[in-house]
Every structure is written in C-alpha cells, then in structure tokens.
C-alpha cells in the first residue's frame, strides 16, 4: 500500500536537513484547508497545513472591515461534513457577520484538533517540483522547506488584494486600509473624515457600516452597482429548529444543487409569458424575499435583454424610491451592465445611507481622481476632499493571484506564471499539466463563488480525496492532465461563460478585467455546481479520463 511506502520514505529522510516531510501539504487554513486536513488526515495521510495568518478562517480571518458579512444564509454557509455540529451550533442572524463565522471556523479547528497539523504565520514563497524524487518542495518566508508527494492549494480565490496604482496614493498621510487586510486592533471611525474607494460587495458593506460611525463618509463610486436588500435579522428559534430537523437531506440537496443554496426556484417560465401586472408582483415579492431571488425569478432574466432591462429598471426604481435626493439617486442607478452578470450585492441598508447628512456620494466617473495628496484626494475638477482615512475596497487579483504569488515551478522547471501568461490553463479547475500531484481548491475554471463556496470546496476536497485513494490503491505515483483534456475543458468553460447576457459584461473580476494587464480569461465555471460535480465524477469513474497516470515503481505511464 502507498501509505506504507510514504512512511518508509519519510523515515529515510529523517535526520536530514529538511524541516518536515508529509504525505500532503495543504496551503491555507480557511474553509478549504481545514476541510482538506480533516478529510485527508482521517484517511491516514500525514497532512501538514501552512497558513499565512495567525489563526484559521481564511477570508474570515483577514476581512475584519466594518460591516463584513456573508451574503449566503448562515444555516447554509456552514460545513456539510460535521452533522453533529449542525445540530449544536446556533447561528444568531440570518446572514452571519465576520466574527461569528470566524468563531465557527475556530470551533471546527478545536473540535477536530486540527491545529496540531497547522503551522501558522507562514507565507509560501516557492513551490518547486523535485522530479527525481517525485516530490514537491514548499518554501516559506521563515526560510523553511517542507516536502510532500502531494500539494493541495487552498489559498482562497479572493485573497490577494488589488491595490490600485493611483497617482500619489503613497503620499497620503492619513490611515489607509485595504478591506482584505483590515487591522486586528480596533480602528476608530468616530469623528473622522473617511473615504471608501470601491462600490462592489465589499465597498457597499463597508460604507453602510462606516456611515453609522464616521464623522463624514465619502463614497468614491466609479461604477454604480445593483444591490438587493438582505433584510438581515436575528434567526427565530422555530426556523433554526426547522432547518436542523431537515439538515441531513438539505446538506445532500445543497451538494447536488446548482448554487449550493436555496433560492425560490425560478418560475421556470419566460417573463413575458406573464402580463406586466403579474411580473411586477413577482419582482416585488423577489425584492422582499431578502435573498438573491430578483435575478432568478424568471428563467430568462440572464438571457433575454428586454426582460433583463425590465428587471434592472425595477431595481433602479427601488433606488429612486429610497434615496431622497433625485440627483444622487440617479448617480446610484446602475446602467453599465445588465443585472445579475456580476456577483449581485446584498446589503443592509446601503442606499438609505445617502439620506444621511454625514454621507456624500462622489461620482469619480464624472469627476475622476486626479491624485492623492498628503491630506486627502484631489479630483480632476480641482476639488480637494480632505480625509483622515482611506478605505480601499477595490477587490482582488482573483483566483489566479494567490496561486501565482506562490512561485510554482513544475516539471522541466516550467513556471506556472509562464504557463498562464495568456490566462489560466487547468483541467476541471483542479489540476494543471506539468504540475503533477498538485491540486487546486477553488482553482481557476472551477465554480468558486458561483456556488456557495463552502460547497464548491466540499466537492473539490471529496474529489481530491477519492483521487488520492485511487492512486494509492492502484500503486500510481503521479497524476496530471493532458494538454488535450485541458483544451477541451477550457473550451467548455468558455462556452458556458459566454452564454446569455454575461458575455456583454466584460469589465469584472470573473474575466480578470479588474486588474490592469491581466489576460482576459474565464476565471470561474458558471455552469452550476451540480453539473460541475457530474463532470468531475464522470472523469473519475472513467479511470481519470484526461489524466496521465504514472506507476510508482516502474515509472510507467498507465493511461
Ligand atoms: P469588486 O467586486 O471587484 O469591486 C471592486 C470595486 O472597486 C468596484 O466598485 C470597482 O469599480 C472599484 N475599483 C477598482 N479599482 C478601482 C480604481 N483604480 N479606481 C476606482 N475604483 C476602483 O471587489 P469586492 O467588492 O471586494 O468583491 C469581490 C468579490 O468578493 C465579490 O464579487 C464577492 O464574490 C466577494 N465578496 C462577498 C461578500 C459577501 O459575502 N457579502 C462580501 C465582499 C466580497 P468598477 O466597478 O468601476 O471597476
């Protein structure tokens, strides 16, 4: 058996200059890393996790900005692999705040004794293939090298901050924080002049919360976005009990659903088959559901431009009805893209803050930022906005950023950065040719945030675990995809990604277009978690179709 062989190999290495060897090195201790550790350790693999932060939690460890909250309902945004905890844990709100999710992740680590296999405060600086020995060497910023036969990256898909290169930004002498690197110490907002740069999911959440505390808040908006009311509130005892009673079947359903979370099923019909009066009732009900239903209440909202325009207009009318000043309301009305082609934002009273005296909307598409100066931001018109604090909510170098930051070098010293020069190449979002035995959780061309990400992760971990079990049972030393399989997969991802109105919205992180110079490519798989799972399962059932498998002893290629 393979495990016995690894143990022998490890014993041989003991006493040499390596800091530590393991069967599997997992990078990251967010929900991906702790799921992988729990699963693989349970299968008997010696598993080591390297984590950049000082605690488990990943996204929820780093994103401590005011207002940070999950846009998936709490009772669904929790792991499906601990049914006992499903019954014990009491979520307090319909949509959990950051600190509660972080507590939950920490509790998972405690109850499964995960920390003994996690090394915290280690940033991976290099991952290099030692071909002769069939191992990966993983280097950290602490100067250590770890070795393993398998590497599983779980470094997150929204974890490398995008820091905008705006003239003078380093000259600003006030406090300056990117939301994804928010200080652990208390940040005082009271009485301060604060600007939030960015109006995506993060900027909207941060602005809504900061407006309640700051002396004055300036929301620097380049593109207005659609945002739906989450209607967050404390969870009622009876709804918690109801979900707990049906958790076993609901978890199974989530694993096999399109998005890993419950939404009102789409009407299944075309919008214009209903009369206008009825359509407006449907939109109104969807708006008041406190979920993402508005973008899914008819089957053709993402496909038919006229239907989409009507729904978008409905959303704009809501903004106009909330914001008192018609000129400000108009600037807040999104027109740049169809509704639902980007991750829809869920808010807790965002548009309402623009009725407060201490909040100003600054339309930087109309009057762009000229430069930052020591005491604030200067607009092209000459207007100077004096600031004590700049909150940078400009998003992430998504999906590929965290992987490229680790300087991965594969077979023949090929660099991942070179392989991905024109966009990421991957098979199933799980593996890359020339990088054998290196698996990516929430990697490029996998579903990531198109589904409840905890469930996207759960699928990856299960697939990787089954794969390692297969390799072990069949005495296979390494696995990597073929070029043909990657090409075929990438073509499928592109075809799915280009369907409907999504194709007309090109300036977003799904395509890497939020980062200057990043090649335009499909970062995510938009075909649904259930369909993705079926494809991955079919590949495995077919003896890992599209992969090259190499036997342990003879170095013989099996398929
Ligand atoms: P984002 O969606 O990429 O939004 C970035 C914002 O910054 C946009 O408003 C963008 O404007 C602006 N921006 C970027 N560069 C700029 C520049 N140089 N000058 C001026 N404005 C600039 O990033 P995000 O809000 O952090 O969200 C990223 C993803 O994280 C979301 O899609 C979601 O998947 C996830 N997320 C989820 C939650 C949640 O669960 N509630 C919360 C936060 C984030 P333009 O639109 O003009 O480019």
């Amino acid at each position: 058996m393979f495990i016995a062989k690894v143990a022998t190999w490890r014993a041989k290495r003991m006493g040499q200059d390596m800091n530590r060897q393991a069967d599997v090195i997992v990078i990251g201790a967010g929900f991906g890393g702790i799921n992988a550790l729990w699963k693989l350790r349970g299968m008997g693999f010696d598993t080591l996790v390297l984590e950049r932060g000082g605690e488990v939690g990943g996204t929820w460890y780093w994103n401590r900005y005011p207002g940070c909250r999950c846009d998936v309902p709490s009772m669904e945004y929790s792991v499906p692999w601990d049914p006992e905890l499903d019954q014990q844990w009491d979520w307090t709100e319909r949509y959990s705040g950051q600190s509660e999710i972080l507590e939950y992740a920490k509790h998972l680590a405690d109850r499964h004794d995960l920390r003994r296999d996690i090394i915290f405060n280690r940033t991976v600086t290099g991952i290099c293939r030692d071909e002769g020995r069939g191992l990966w060497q993983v280097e950290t910023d602490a100067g250590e090298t770890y070795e393993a036969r398998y590497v599983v990256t779980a470094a997150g898909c929204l974890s490398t901050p995008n820091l905008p290169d705006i003239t003078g930004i380093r000259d600003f002498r006030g406090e300056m924080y990117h939301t994804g690197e928010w200080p652990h110490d208390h940040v005082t907002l009271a009485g301060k002049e604060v600007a939030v740069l960015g109006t995506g999911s993060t900027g909207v959440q941060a602005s809504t919360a900061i407006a309640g505390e700051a002396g004055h808040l300036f929301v620097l908006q380049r593109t207005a976005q659609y945002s739906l009311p989450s209607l967050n509130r404390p969870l009622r005892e009876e709804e918690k009990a109801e979900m707990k009673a049906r958790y076993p079947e609901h978890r199974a359903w989530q694993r096999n659903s399109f998005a890993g979370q419950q939404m009102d099923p789409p009407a299944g019909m075309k919008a214009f088959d209903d009369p206008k009066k009825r359509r407006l009732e449907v939109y109104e009900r969807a708006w008041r559901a406190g979920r993402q239903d508005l973008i899914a209440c008819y089957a053709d909202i993402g496909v038919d431009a006229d239907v989409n325009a009507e729904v978008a207009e409905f959303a704009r009318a809501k903004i106009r009805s909330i914001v008192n000043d018609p000129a400000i309301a108009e600037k807040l009305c999104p027109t740049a893209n169809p509704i639902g082609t980007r991750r829809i934002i869920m808010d807790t009273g965002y548009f309402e803050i623009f009725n407060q005296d201490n909040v100003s909307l600054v339309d930087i598409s109309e009057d762009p930022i000229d430069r930052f100066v020591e005491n604030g931001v200067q607009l092209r018109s000459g207007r100077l906005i004096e600031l004590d604090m700049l909150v940078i909510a400009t998003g992430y170098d998504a999906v590929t950023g965290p992987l490229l930051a680790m300087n991965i070098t594969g077979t023949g010293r090929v660099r991942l950065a070179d392989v991905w020069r024109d966009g990421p190449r991957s098979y199933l979002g799980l593996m890359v040719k020339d990088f054998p035995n290196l698996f990516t959780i929430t990697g490029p061309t996998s579903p990531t945030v198109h589904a409840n990400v905890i469930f996207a992760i759960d699928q990856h971990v299960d697939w990787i675990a089954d794969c390692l079990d297969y390799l072990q049972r069949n005495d296979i030393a390494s696995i990597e995809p073929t070029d043909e399989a990657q090409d075929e997969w990438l073509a499928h991802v592109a075809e799915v990604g280009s369907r409907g109105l999504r194709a007309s919205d090109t300036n977003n992180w799904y395509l890497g277009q939020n980062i200057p110079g990043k090649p335009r490519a499909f970062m995510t798989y938009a075909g649904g978690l259930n369909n993705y799972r079926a494809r991955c399962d079919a590949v495995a059932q077919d003896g890992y179709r599209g992969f090259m498998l190499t036997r342990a002893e003879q170095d013989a290629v099996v398929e």
Side-chain angles (χ1 to χ4, degrees):
M1 289 287 280
F2 178 57
I3 284 184
K5 269 191 256 158
V6 170
T8 314
W9 161 78
R10 198 164 49 240
K12 277 191 209 148
R13 297 292 307 162
M14 290 302 238
Q16 298 190 24
D17 60 351
M18 290 298 157
N19 290 66
R20 181 166 169 190
Q21 299 85 28
D23 297 330
V24 189
I25 291 177
V26 175
I27 297 162
F31 279 114
I34 60 180
N35 188 346
L37 172 57
W38 171 81
K39 179 91 185 186
L40 297 176
R41 187 167 80 183
M43 291 167 69
F45 289 100
D46 179 22
T47 307
L48 171 69
V49 180
L50 299 172
E51 165 56 48
R52 178 165 62 105
E55 184 45 280
V56 299
T59 287
W60 305 105
Y61 171 82
W62 294 103
N63 282 269
R64 292 159 185 259
Y65 60 85
C68 181
R69 185 173 293 287
C70 188
D71 60 7
V72 176
S74 331
M75 296 201 72
E76 297 192 290
Y77 191 84
S78 39
V79 303
W81 45 268
D82 190 340
E84 216 175 70
L85 186 58
D86 273 348
Q87 298 304 323
Q88 292 168 2
W89 189 266
D90 264 327
W91 292 103
T92 59
E93 292 176 276
R94 194 171 179 204
Y95 293 97
S96 320
Q98 170 267 338
S99 62
E100 194 169 5
I101 303 174
L102 182 59
E103 283 312 308
Y104 173 78
K106 284 158 70 175
H107 183 68
L108 272 173
D110 288 339
R111 62 187 259 118
H112 295 287
D113 190 18
L114 298 179
R115 285 193 183 80
R116 69 180 151 92
D117 288 318
I118 305 175
I119 303 181
F120 292 104
N121 302 307
R122 293 296 189 284
T123 298
V124 170
T125 52
I127 304 179
C128 190
R129 182 95 182 130
D130 179 338
E131 281 174 62
R133 292 162 59 230
L135 301 175
W136 285 102
Q137 296 189 324
V138 180
E139 291 163 11
T140 73
D141 59 347
E144 307 138 331
T145 303
Y146 298 88
E147 290 190 335
R149 189 174 295 270
Y150 305 108
V151 167
V152 177
T153 67
C157 55
L158 294 161
S159 52
T160 301
N162 168 34
L163 297 166
D165 186 17
I166 300 175
T167 309
I169 198 159
R170 284 181 186 76
D171 299 337
F172 178 60
R173 291 282 159 263
E175 296 168 75
M176 185 162 66
Y177 310 114
H178 189 284
T179 47
E181 292 176 337
W182 197 261
H184 287 215
D185 299 334
H186 178 71
V187 173
T188 303
L189 296 161
K192 292 183 179 165
E193 307 281 293
V194 181
V196 174
L197 178 64
T199 52
S201 300
T202 305
V204 163
Q205 287 186 338
S207 292
T208 307
I210 292 171
E213 283 191 62
H216 201 95
L217 169 68
F218 298 90
V219 178
L220 307 182
Q221 172 189 278
R222 190 166 68 177
T223 310
Q225 276 309 320
Y226 301 96
S227 181
L228 308 179
S230 68
L231 307 184
N232 188 40
R233 55 166 173 74
L235 278 170
R236 291 187 281 269
E237 289 307 318
E238 61 274 18
E239 60 192 329
K240 285 193 268 189
E242 187 270 330
M243 179 58 101
K244 286 184 181 190
R246 68 183 171 94
Y247 252 144
E249 61 268 33
H250 190 67
R251 293 308 198 188
W253 176 86
Q254 282 184 279
R255 282 183 152 135
N256 290 293
S257 63
F258 191 87
Q261 71 182 97
Q262 203 169 342
M263 293 205 253
D264 249 1
M269 60 186 293
K270 295 184 173 179
F272 292 156
D273 289 348
D274 264 344
K276 180 145 189 182
K277 183 168 175 293
R278 171 74 190 139
R279 293 201 297 278
L280 292 177
E281 285 165 5
V282 170
Y283 302 152
E284 188 62 40
R285 197 184 62 212
W287 180 268
R288 290 175 189 276
R291 295 186 301 236
Q292 303 178 6
D293 297 12
L294 187 66
I295 55 170
C297 56
Y298 284 105
D300 51 358
I301 292 173
V303 185
D304 184 315
D306 293 333
V307 174
N308 190 286
E310 183 175 86
V311 177
E313 190 48 37
F314 175 86
R316 285 190 287 267
K318 285 290 180 192
I319 297 171
R320 293 184 191 111
S321 73
I322 295 169
V323 179
N324 297 337
D325 182 326
I328 295 173
E330 223 42 55
K331 287 183 197 302
L332 287 164
C333 282
T335 51
N337 53 284
I339 188 167
T341 56
R342 298 180 185 188
R343 171 71 169 217
I344 195 79
I345 301 171
M346 303 290 292
D347 69 72
T348 53
Y350 175 62
F351 296 115
E352 287 82 346
I353 67 171
F354 295 97
N355 295 332
Q356 295 178 206
D357 292 340
N358 71 331
V359 177
S360 304
L361 180 69
V362 182
D363 183 345
I364 56 168
S365 65
E366 197 178 86
D367 190 2
I369 294 174
D370 184 46
R371 58 180 301 122
F372 279 89
V373 291
E374 273 192 18
N375 59 338
V377 59
Q378 177 99 50
L379 304 183
R380 197 168 290 171
S381 63
R383 178 181 172 201
L384 171 69
I385 301 171
E386 293 192 41
L387 297 173
D388 300 305
M389 188 188 297
L390 172 63
V391 175
I392 304 176
T394 48
Y396 297 90
D397 181 353
V399 191
T400 52
L403 290 161
L404 292 173
M406 292 192 282
N407 296 312
I408 307 178
T409 310
T411 307
R413 306 210 68 72
V414 62
R415 293 169 62 238
L416 187 67
D418 291 329
V419 175
W420 285 2
R421 194 167 294 284
D422 298 325
R425 290 181 59 70
S426 169
Y427 183 35
L428 304 175
L430 281 163
M431 296 199 85
V432 183
K433 182 177 178 289
D434 290 330
F435 299 84
N437 294 357
L438 186 144
F439 299 86
T440 54
I441 291 179
T442 65
T445 74
S446 77
T448 71
V449 302
H450 285 307
N452 174 347
V453 79
I454 287 196
F455 282 78
I457 287 167
D458 171 74
Q459 184 276 342
H460 292 168
V461 170
D462 281 354
W463 193 93
I464 293 166
D466 288 348
C467 177
L468 295 193
D469 179 57
Y470 180 89
L471 301 185
Q472 182 188 316
R473 282 188 290 104
N474 291 283
D475 217 17
I476 290 163
S478 79
I479 179 168
E480 66 179 297
T482 64
D483 259 329
E484 296 72 33
Q486 285 188 161
D487 287 343
E488 217 175 286
W489 172 249
L490 293 175
H492 172 63
V493 171
E495 186 274 314
V496 170
S498 306
R499 284 180 199 161
L501 300 170
R502 203 182 294 118
S504 66
D505 179 11
T506 54
N507 182 28
N508 58 54
W509 71 258
Y510 291 163
L511 286 163
Q513 295 303 274
N514 61 327
I515 303 293
K518 189 164 172 171
R520 183 182 189 280
F522 292 93
M523 295 288 141
T524 55
Y525 180 68
L529 181 61
N530 49 354
N531 298 317
Y532 174 77
R533 176 185 288 279
R535 281 178 181 264
C536 293
D537 287 352
V539 164
Q541 278 152 19
D542 248 1
Y544 293 88
R545 170 168 38 87
F547 286 99
M548 285 182 290
L549 307 174
T550 307
R551 278 221 191 282
E553 300 301 337
Q554 316 89 303
D555 263 1
V557 173
V558 182
E559 285 163 44

